[in-house]
Amino acid sequence: MDREWIPSNMLADGSRRELSITEVLDHAREIRGIDGDMPLQQFTISRLLIAILYGAFGHTFSADQWQMLMREGPDHPDIAQAIHEYCSAYHDRFDLFDDIAPFYQVAGLHTAKNEVSGLECLLLDVPNRREKRVFTTKQGIGLDAMDAAQAARWLVTLQAYDASGIKSGAVGDPRVKGGKGYPIGVAWSGHLGGILIEGENLWETLMLNFVSDQVLELSDANVDWDDDMPIWERDPLTEQASEGYDQSAERVADTTFFHGPATLMTWQSRRVLLAHDGETVTGAVVCNGDRLKPQNGRCYEPMTGWRRSPAQEKALKLPLVYMPRKHDPSRALWRGLPLLTNNQQPETSEEPASIRPQTLKWLTQAQGDDARRPIRLHAFGVEYGNNDAVIDTSVNDVLDLNLVTLTSNNFQMAQLLQEAVNLTDQGVLALRNLASNIALAGGMPTDPPRRRAGELGYATFNGAFRRWIKTIESDDDLPALRRDWFTIARRLFIRLGSQLTEQASPRALVGREITIGDQAGKYYSAPLAEIWYRSKINQLFPLQEGE
């Protein structure tokens, strides 16, 4: 609470400083954003700070009250006092090495043989096998010990993203069999396609992700956050699963286990105890904590999008099941942007196939006159492998835009973005087909050039789309924005097509007749392939007025 451990990027001079929780909250307007030993720590530590705001200011506040908090910030004496009083009240629960209630841990946790694992059990990017420790944040002697600040960061991240698999068996946990804790699934945030909405400073970031329970709709009448609280407000945990929090397999999709956002932002997926000498951490005991599956948690977890899952509805024999919409590591964030917009038509009575994050729904209600506020969408996520027992890759992607793009109540905004992304995907498909046809004309394999053309197309449009989306400052003239994108896209696709044709071999330029299956022979050449390609691009992106 009052020792430095949160890496903070300062606005004034761009320096990076480690600050305590109280310092970070006091100076949140002077901090650009927080950092960490790996990108996921930015998400997990931000969620911890937001949970403190829930503790200090509660869950029920109006849009006007939210706007006041956003506007005045920690410089306002009443706001600063509320934060200080709350932090003081729970100060002792933030002692990393406390003998009774160590932060995010269980005092006295031990196995039957008093085994302590090495630091690799804390570091999500370090494999347990030494020969596989390549390109990680810590290697060699760095795995023997770490300071308390590092340990705190990794502890918070472990509780959010730890992989599944067999854990140490804690003495006193009735779930342990043969000295082992058998898999209960990945930690809570590992289920999510995490979205952090970033403002121009840390205070704005925290507030943009701080959602009132007034975001809940009439159809959510059975939802309440009355018993929601961060972990430090609850009694210290034991080695056993927590009643009312640990969700059995038979009760998957039972929403009584979710409680609310502060609970989920500080969810204890594991029982942990650090081994230390008072300042330096040398190892840890990591055991199973509280199991929770994400089905139908949409009214409680605000920082992810959701998708309807017919497969889960069939498996659980329920009429409606929503799952978190996880990020695809192979797709840039901008390609999924339409799913984050206000795309639900008011007259539609059917349950939507996708639901955007509650944070964006709240900002649509609460933003007031700040619709043109510049923000950064920051996507975080993890892809697990080998039965969710290892982390294969992580997602860390950003997109700069104005808030109005995501919160506009003009349904045509969502349509515009959906059309822009869909047509771009079709254009890249046409570019791939061009590469295939040129390869066929030259008597070469088609798969490698087709793959390279797709990579070239998306790499080119990655920058172009990001630049265009930043130009959207209002929903006053959407047809003009559409014309702008059509002009940009058409010119880029024509240029890319010419580039591929210019690289064609002499044999492809001459071409040849090709018979595919039972079809009559068809003549393929690079110039013909470009004509077909341009025809498709002209169909997707017709010439705009003035071109």
Side-chain angles (χ1 to χ4, degrees):
M1 185 63 76
D2 44 30
R3 290 188 62 177
E4 295 79 10
W5 67 288
I6 301 177
S8 306
N9 299 315
M10 309 307 293
L11 275 170
D13 57 5
S15 62
R16 184 178 186 270
R17 298 168 53 191
E18 286 190 7
L19 302 175
S20 68
I21 289 175
T22 51
E23 288 174 327
V24 162
L25 293 173
D26 281 344
H27 301 285
R29 279 186 159 164
E30 303 164 32
I31 298 170
R32 173 64 185 90
I34 59 177
D35 206 345
D37 304 298
M38 70 181 303
L40 291 177
Q41 290 186 357
Q42 181 180 352
F43 187 65
T44 58
I45 296 172
S46 294
R47 282 166 67 86
L48 183 148
L49 296 173
I50 296 165
I52 291 176
L53 296 185
Y54 277 115
F57 300 109
H59 304 78
T60 303
F61 44 88
S62 66
D64 289 343
Q65 290 170 320
W66 180 88
Q67 290 170 15
M68 186 277 290
L69 279 172
M70 168 71 91
R71 182 177 62 252
E72 301 296 337
D75 299 331
H76 191 284
D78 291 342
I79 295 174
Q81 182 179 354
I83 293 173
H84 288 169
E85 287 180 352
Y86 182 80
C87 290
S88 177
Y90 294 97
H91 177 275
D92 292 347
R93 294 297 299 272
F94 286 79
D95 186 340
L96 196 65
F97 301 144
D98 188 71
D99 292 331
I100 299 173
F103 173 73
Y104 267 45
Q105 300 162 77
V106 173
L109 189 73
H110 66 283
T111 68
K113 296 181 180 179
N114 290 312
E115 302 145 313
V116 176
S117 300
L119 291 176
E120 62 271 9
C121 69
L122 287 179
L123 309 180
L124 300 186
D125 62 346
V126 177
N128 289 330
R129 292 172 57 186
R130 288 186 177 274
E131 63 270 23
K132 292 189 177 181
R133 293 175 190 167
V134 182
F135 305 122
T136 66
T137 55
K138 294 177 77 68
Q139 293 188 49
I141 194 170
L143 282 173
D144 295 331
M146 67 170 67
D147 61 37
Q150 283 182 299
R153 296 192 292 269
W154 283 112
L155 177 61
V156 172
T157 308
L158 176 88
Q159 290 285 17
Y161 281 107
D162 190 36
S164 188
I166 295 176
K167 305 298 177 185
S168 298
V171 172
D173 183 356
R175 298 172 295 178
V176 172
K177 297 178 181 178
K180 297 178 180 179
Y182 285 89
I184 63 170
V186 302
W188 173 252
S189 293
H191 294 293
L192 312 180
I195 294 289
L196 181 69
I197 306 167
E198 299 180 22
E200 295 186 331
N201 57 59
L202 181 59
W203 181 255
E204 286 189 9
T205 297
L206 298 179
M207 290 303 303
L208 289 169
N209 297 276
F210 184 45
V211 176
S212 169
D213 60 12
Q214 293 190 12
V215 75
L216 300 174
E217 301 171 351
L218 292 177
S219 58
D220 304 320
N222 61 332
V223 177
D224 69 70
W225 298 348
D226 290 346
D227 59 352
D228 179 43
M229 65 186 75
I231 185 59
W232 48 81
E233 292 189 23
R234 291 163 52 193
D235 292 337
L237 300 182
T238 70
E239 64 279 354
Q240 298 186 22
S242 301
E243 184 177 355
Y245 293 85
D246 184 62
Q247 183 187 57
S248 66
E250 296 75 25
R251 299 185 68 177
V252 168
D254 183 342
T255 61
T256 60
F257 290 90
F258 293 102
H259 301 282
T263 300
L264 296 177
M265 289 175 183
T266 60
W267 190 267
Q268 300 295 284
S269 300
R270 304 291 179 253
R271 299 293 187 261
V272 183
L273 185 62
L274 301 177
H276 62 91
D277 62 9
E279 287 293 334
T280 302
V281 175
T282 56
V285 181
V286 179
C287 308
N288 282 327
D290 295 324
R291 179 184 188 271
L292 187 64
K293 297 299 182 181
Q295 286 88 339
N296 282 345
R298 63 187 181 90
C299 293
Y300 302 87
E301 172 53 67
M303 297 177 71
T304 186
W306 298 81
R307 59 177 178 82
R308 188 172 179 181
S309 174
Q312 286 290 313
E313 291 169 1
K314 183 178 180 180
L316 297 173
K317 299 179 180 178
L318 291 172
L320 192 64
V321 175
Y322 283 96
M323 296 289 289
R325 184 178 294 281
K326 297 193 70 174
H327 302 302
D328 182 348
S330 67
R331 289 174 61 92
L333 178 59
W334 63 266
R335 293 176 64 192
L337 187 62
L339 295 171
L340 300 176
T341 59
N342 189 12
N343 57 12
Q344 187 65 16
Q345 299 187 59
E347 64 273 12
T348 300
S349 58
E350 295 181 4
E351 296 292 348
S354 64
I355 298 176
R356 59 194 182 131
Q358 296 277 15
T359 48
L360 292 173
K361 289 179 64 178
W362 170 245
L363 291 174
T364 301
Q365 297 175 219
Q367 65 186 340
D369 296 327
D370 292 335
R372 298 188 182 185
R373 178 189 298 275
I375 62 163
R376 167 172 286 182
L377 276 182
H378 203 151
F380 298 91
V382 163
E383 187 173 88
Y384 298 92
N386 192 20
N387 294 320
D388 289 340
V390 295
I391 291 177
D392 277 350
T393 187
S394 61
V395 173
N396 174 37
D397 195 4
V398 299
L399 183 64
D400 294 320
L401 68 168
N402 290 300
L403 188 58
V404 66
T405 309
L406 300 173
T407 59
S408 170
N409 283 313
N410 186 344
F411 180 66
Q412 291 181 343
M413 174 70 82
Q415 289 181 315
L416 168 65
L417 297 178
Q418 186 70 67
E419 182 184 36
V421 171
N422 286 349
L423 291 180
T424 301
D425 284 339
Q426 293 179 50
V428 173
L429 176 60
L431 188 67
R432 287 191 177 114
N433 291 338
L434 170 62
S436 294
N437 290 336
I438 292 174
L440 283 171
M444 302 296 291
T446 60
D447 285 349
R450 185 178 181 85
R451 184 184 65 253
R452 289 194 295 269
E455 292 170 350
L456 174 64
Y458 280 121
T460 301
F461 275 86
N462 186 51
F465 192 95
R466 291 172 188 273
R467 289 189 292 272
W468 173 71
I469 203 72
K470 288 177 69 174
T471 67
I472 301 178
E473 296 182 347
S474 74
D475 54 8
D476 295 338
D477 193 353
L478 297 180
L481 291 169
R482 184 178 186 271
R483 288 193 298 272
D484 290 344
W485 178 245
F486 271 47
T487 299
I488 292 167
R490 186 176 183 280
R491 289 174 179 173
L492 282 177
F493 275 122
I494 294 298
R495 191 191 78 193
L496 290 171
S498 298
Q499 183 178 329
L500 289 186
T501 306
E502 289 168 2
Q503 295 171 353
S505 67
R507 185 178 179 185
L509 291 172
V510 174
R512 63 192 181 119
E513 187 173 284
I514 300 173
T515 300
I516 300 176
D518 297 331
Q519 297 179 356
K522 183 177 180 180
Y523 200 83
Y524 281 73
S525 71
L528 274 174
E530 186 177 16
I531 290 173
W532 301 334
Y533 169 75
R534 286 197 176 212
S535 175
K536 182 63 177 178
I537 296 304
N538 288 334
Q539 176 188 340
L540 294 173
F541 302 99
L543 274 170
Q544 299 300 297
E545 184 179 345
E547 279 195 274

